[in-house]
Amino acid sequence: MAGAAAAGRRVANTASSRRARRPAGLSRVWGRVRDERGAADRLARVDEPGPAWGLARSAAEAANVELRPLSSLDQFDDAIEIMAATWGRFQLPPREVITALAHSGNVPLGAYDHDRLVGFVLGWAGVDEEGLHVHSHMLAALPERRHRGVGYALKLGQRAQALDKGIHTARWTFDPLVARNAWLNLGKLGAVADRFGRAFYGEMADEINRGDRTDRLVVRWDLDPDPGPRAVPKGLPTVLAAEGDTDAPVPVEGAAPSSEGGVIEVPREHAELRQRDADLASRWRDAVAEALEGCFGAGLIVVAFDRDRSGYVLVPEATP
């Protein structure tokens, strides 16, 4: 017993000696690590007080779901099944990658109908020339729960997570020819799109993108203001018009964007148009890319989506 006690004192003295020899700078580093671990724990909570979480919970209630963090391997597997139901079993992130993201503080958020996962949002902290942001990479819901407010609630939950971490901007990409996503991103959330890239992801083999060029608008969502649509400026010239049959419109080049801005119209259901008329859908892909490149080249950005016209509203970047 006496030997064990002496050994215990030696261990305690050795640890105390190590702490005493630890440089002050290293102590500050360890303090920041502990703070980050605490922040990661807070990121995984959805019961925090405050208006951001209150808004997210209200949206979830309206969509008949409950927001919960995803943290177990079984939950990650459930999310992967939703990915497969959305994109097919192509190029899906492996479970260990989702595990690593969650472990590093990038906790995915799930939407639950009782004990069934029906949707999720997955992202991570990123840094670009403008500083720290959340890159919101994947948002999906089961087919029978799409377009019912689940995605909106998940985005609001991700916003609350980011604000809890002191992050005030989110970014992601979306296909400019998917009008439903344009309305969610620009209309309901109030984000803007300040960049455009042709074939942004290169060739993709999933069921949604296979055989189509992966053009993408890049979204910037300022998280501090309350979400909601921006006012749509009136009287801007139509840069690209959708004319003819509503279900199979034809792209018609219009006026050049003015110094005040311009409007780019898109088909209301491009995915269905691809199935009925692949050549016409391809014409739309090229026409929209050329129109967006022309507008961005003129110093404009996308600030709204006019749902009545199914059109992007672009104005000079400096405009609030």
Side-chain angles (χ1 to χ4, degrees):
M1 292 292 293
R9 286 194 296 272
R10 286 195 298 272
V11 170
N13 290 338
T14 301
S16 177
S17 177
R18 282 200 300 266
R19 286 194 297 270
R21 293 196 304 268
R22 182 181 295 162
L26 186 57
S27 297
R28 287 194 295 271
V29 170
W30 279 109
R32 286 198 298 271
V33 169
R34 287 192 297 271
D35 290 343
E36 287 301 317
R37 287 173 178 167
D41 291 340
R42 291 194 299 274
L43 183 65
R45 297 181 59 183
V46 298
D47 58 350
E48 294 283 352
W53 276 116
L55 191 62
R57 287 191 290 266
S58 295
E61 183 178 352
N64 296 311
V65 294
E66 180 183 356
L67 300 180
R68 302 176 195 169
L70 306 182
S71 57
S72 72
L73 297 180
D74 288 343
Q75 289 173 321
F76 300 155
D77 284 340
D78 291 340
I80 290 172
E81 288 306 308
I82 295 177
M83 295 179 201
T86 303
W87 293 282
R89 296 190 180 278
F90 301 91
Q91 300 174 326
L92 298 181
R95 186 176 66 181
E96 57 267 26
V97 171
I98 305 175
T99 304
L101 287 170
H103 180 72
S104 62
N106 300 285
V107 180
L109 195 61
Y112 278 86
D113 183 349
H114 296 89
D115 290 331
R116 185 189 186 204
L117 183 69
V118 299
F120 75 95
V121 64
L122 171 68
W124 52 82
V127 180
D128 61 13
E129 65 276 8
E130 296 177 353
L132 187 64
H133 66 271
V134 167
H135 175 76
S136 181
H137 187 60
M138 301 183 85
L139 173 71
L142 290 174
E144 66 271 19
R145 300 304 292 266
R146 293 171 192 163
H147 318 307
R148 297 186 179 184
V150 174
Y152 178 62
L154 285 166
K155 281 290 191 184
L156 293 185
Q158 193 175 49
R159 168 181 178 256
Q161 285 180 319
L163 290 173
D164 281 353
K165 288 281 286 181
I167 301 174
H168 300 275
T169 304
R171 282 195 173 275
W172 62 91
T173 66
F174 77 98
D175 185 343
L177 283 168
V178 181
R180 289 180 181 271
N181 287 353
W183 174 244
L184 170 63
N185 296 332
L186 308 174
K188 297 184 70 173
L189 298 178
V192 303
D194 58 0
R195 304 171 192 171
F196 170 74
R198 288 194 189 221
F200 189 91
Y201 293 110
E203 185 176 347
M204 296 179 69
D206 65 273
E207 293 181 0
I208 293 178
N209 296 288
R210 184 171 56 243
D212 199 5
R213 196 173 67 226
T214 56
D215 295 354
R216 294 294 184 267
L217 280 167
V218 181
V219 166
R220 185 186 75 234
W221 187 22
D222 297 325
L223 302 179
D224 290 306
D226 289 338
R230 298 166 183 259
V232 178
K234 303 297 182 182
L236 297 177
T238 301
V239 178
L240 183 67
E243 297 187 357
D245 187 347
T246 303
D247 293 330
V250 175
V252 176
E253 185 177 346
S258 72
S259 58
E260 287 78 28
V263 176
I264 298 174
E265 296 180 352
V266 297
R268 297 182 184 276
E269 295 292 344
H270 184 258
E272 295 179 5
L273 181 60
R274 280 185 67 199
Q275 295 178 350
R276 293 195 305 269
D277 191 335
D279 289 339
L280 180 55
S282 181
R283 286 175 57 193
W284 269 109
R285 175 67 65 194
D286 290 336
V288 170
E290 290 172 7
L292 286 171
E293 287 169 345
C295 286
F296 278 103
L300 308 179
I301 64 170
V302 181
V303 296
F305 187 77
D306 187 333
R307 204 176 189 186
D308 293 334
R309 294 182 60 178
S310 188
Y312 293 99
V313 180
L314 298 98
V315 299
E317 187 168 7
T319 300

